[in-house]
Amino acid sequence: MPIKYKFNILSALKEKGYTTTKIRKEKIMSESTLQKFRNGEIVSNDNIAILCKLLECQPGDIMEYIPD
């Protein structure tokens, strides 16, 4: 897939104080979404919006297009 994350999403969330346990308990994102981040898979725009809010950034700060 030509769209990739620029950094490890879960590590960035952890640096901001959002552990996977906290994310699941507070129902911020689903376990399947967290698993997609672990696997480097792209998630929905809604989840990208949540991620941008938590990390205080823009989508372009998170993802990049890499041509095949």
Side-chain angles (χ1 to χ4, degrees):
M1 176 167 274
I3 303 230
K4 306 265 185 216
Y5 295 113
K6 292 181 176 181
F7 51 83
N8 183 302
I9 300 298
L10 297 178
S11 293
L13 285 168
K14 191 172 185 178
E15 288 175 14
K16 289 283 190 173
Y18 294 99
T19 63
T20 55
T21 302
K22 180 178 180 176
I23 291 169
R24 284 193 306 268
K25 281 186 179 180
E26 294 182 12
K27 298 182 180 176
I28 298 170
M29 292 182 193
S30 69
E31 178 59 39
S32 63
T33 300
L34 295 173
Q35 190 61 40
K36 286 182 180 182
F37 287 137
R38 283 184 194 101
N39 295 333
E41 298 173 18
I42 300 302
V43 297
S44 72
N45 287 337
D46 290 338
N47 285 314
I48 294 295
I50 293 168
L51 190 59
C52 288
K53 180 180 176 183
L54 298 176
L55 297 178
E56 301 172 352
C57 65
Q58 296 294 315
D61 298 332
I62 299 169
M63 301 178 298
E64 65 184 330
Y65 174 78
I66 301 174
D68 289 335

